[in-house]
Amino acid sequence: MIGGVACDADAETALYSALWHACAGPFVTVPREGELVFYFPQGHIEQVEASENQAVGQQIPNYNLPWKILCRVINVQLKVDPNTDEVFAQVTLLPEPKQDENIVYEPPPPPPRFHVHSFSKILTAADTSTYGGLSLLKKYAEESLPPLVRF
């Protein structure tokens, strides 16, 4: 399948974000900058140990950390592993000075939403032939591709 996309302002960022979210799937949510989240150190420690292939039954070091830490999201980067094409988000957190989970919190305003037009098409033999060319429905071409400029 192929897709055609046309975007409004800040097209490259909007397109990258739309494609990243499409690859991540409909059930993936990523926190936004400024939001408050909880960080669970134990889960992170267990993931690091699993990725380093620690021997089963080996003693997990005690870091004397609380079981959850209230943090503010200060940066989010949507990334793709170049070796596996797996999408992931790199989220930078800053612990809140006051660890009160009952804190009154106002979420940041939603980011501007860019309208991304897209379509998909299953390629046919005619689309892949040397002399053919890609044939699209006029509706999709008009909605998703920039207008042709005549000189």
Side-chain angles (χ1 to χ4, degrees), residues 127-148:
D127 293 325
T128 60
S129 71
T130 306
Y131 302 107
L134 183 63
S135 54
L136 303 173
L137 291 175
K138 182 178 179 183
K139 169 185 162 185
Y140 295 140
E142 290 176 346
E143 288 177 0
S144 302
L145 300 174
L148 293 175

Side-chain angles (χ1 to χ4, degrees), residues 82-105:
N83 298 319
T84 64
D85 289 337
E86 183 176 6
V87 295
F88 65 96
Q90 181 177 334
V91 181
T92 306
L93 304 175
L94 181 66
E96 283 289 298
K98 188 174 181 184
Q99 290 292 308
D100 180 8
E101 63 183 79
N102 297 320
I103 192 169
V104 175
Y105 163 68

Side-chain angles (χ1 to χ4, degrees), residues 12-143:
E12 190 172 320
T13 302
L15 176 59
Y16 184 87
S17 179
L19 289 173
W20 188 95
H21 281 91
C23 292
F27 301 113
V28 173
T29 57
V30 178
R32 295 180 296 149
E33 290 182 20
E35 286 186 329
L36 289 176
V37 297
F38 281 107
Y39 169 67
F40 298 94
Q42 184 65 34
H44 193 169
I45 292 167
E46 290 171 1
Q47 285 185 344
V48 169
E49 288 176 345
S51 71
E52 293 180 358
N53 298 321
Q54 294 282 340
V56 176
Q58 201 172 9
Q59 181 67 25
I60 297 174
N62 184 0
Y63 295 104
N64 199 22
L65 292 171
W67 71 279
K68 65 180 180 179
I69 301 171
L70 183 63
C71 298
R72 187 166 304 275
V73 176
I74 59 171
N75 189 26
V76 176
Q77 294 180 357
L78 305 178
K79 296 187 171 189
V80 179
D81 184 315
N83 298 319
T84 64
D85 289 337
E86 183 176 6
V87 295
F88 65 96
Q90 181 177 334
V91 181
T92 306
L93 304 175
L94 181 66
E96 283 289 298
K98 188 174 181 184
Q99 290 292 308
D100 180 8
E101 63 183 79
N102 297 320
I103 192 169
V104 175
Y105 163 68
E106 288 217 19
R113 184 107 194 240
F114 299 102
H115 189 67
V116 177
H117 297 280
S118 66
F119 64 91
S120 62
K121 179 182 187 311
I122 297 174
L123 294 176
T124 64
D127 293 325
T128 60
S129 71
T130 306
Y131 302 107
L134 183 63
S135 54
L136 303 173
L137 291 175
K138 182 178 179 183
K139 169 185 162 185
Y140 295 140
E142 290 176 346
E143 288 177 0

